[in-house]
Amino acid sequence: APLACIASDGDGHVIGGAVGRRWGERAELQQLWVQEQSRRRGVGGALVREFLSLARARGCKAVFLETFSFQAPGLYRSLGFRVTYENDLYPHGIVKLHMVKRLHAMRSRR
């Protein structure tokens, strides 16, 4: 089942998005994109947090993703993802990382 969230600016223009899918109790974040002018302003983190919230609301217990070392592994680490596998067979020192974040059940507020 697809999962997606979109960020837009004050004028309603799309400035980013997070797209993935749910596989039973797991979700895969397949793409995260933020418009260049909006990077390093919290948009990417907000999109990933919203994606995690959507996954949790649909019963997922973990989210996984793949990213390259030159992309956003620092962002994902800051949001609680951990590296479970590193593929260092790419040229120029590039590493592909498989990362996972376990989700905790949402608590109901009383």
Side-chain angles (χ1 to χ4, degrees), residues 45-80:
L47 283 165
V48 175
R49 283 189 293 276
E50 179 64 21
F51 187 88
L52 295 171
S53 181
L54 288 172
R56 186 180 294 114
R58 287 167 176 74
C60 293
K61 301 207 183 314
V63 174
F64 64 94
L65 59 88
E66 290 182 330
T67 189
F68 285 104
S69 53
F70 61 85
Q71 291 177 318
L75 169 66
Y76 299 123
R77 282 187 182 100
S78 75
L79 295 170

Side-chain angles (χ1 to χ4, degrees), residues 41-110:
R41 296 183 177 179
V43 176
L47 283 165
V48 175
R49 283 189 293 276
E50 179 64 21
F51 187 88
L52 295 171
S53 181
L54 288 172
R56 186 180 294 114
R58 287 167 176 74
C60 293
K61 301 207 183 314
V63 174
F64 64 94
L65 59 88
E66 290 182 330
T67 189
F68 285 104
S69 53
F70 61 85
Q71 291 177 318
L75 169 66
Y76 299 123
R77 282 187 182 100
S78 75
L79 295 170
F81 283 84
R82 65 179 181 82
V83 175
T84 57
Y85 176 73
E86 293 185 16
N87 180 345
D88 62 358
L89 298 176
Y90 292 86
H92 311 293
I94 295 170
V95 178
K96 189 172 193 177
L97 307 163
H98 183 274
M99 302 180 84
V100 174
K101 177 178 174 75
R102 299 214 181 267
L103 302 177
H104 301 289
M106 293 173 58
R107 295 182 192 177
S108 61
R109 295 183 182 184
R110 294 182 184 181

Side-chain angles (χ1 to χ4, degrees), residues 1-6 17-24 26-31 50-60 62-63 103:
L3 294 173
C5 36
I6 295 172
V19 179
R21 59 187 166 185
R22 182 175 56 89
W23 294 62
R26 304 294 181 260
E28 177 183 14
L29 176 57
Q30 296 173 298
Q31 294 181 331
E50 179 64 21
F51 187 88
L52 295 171
S53 181
L54 288 172
R56 186 180 294 114
R58 287 167 176 74
C60 293
V63 174
L103 302 177

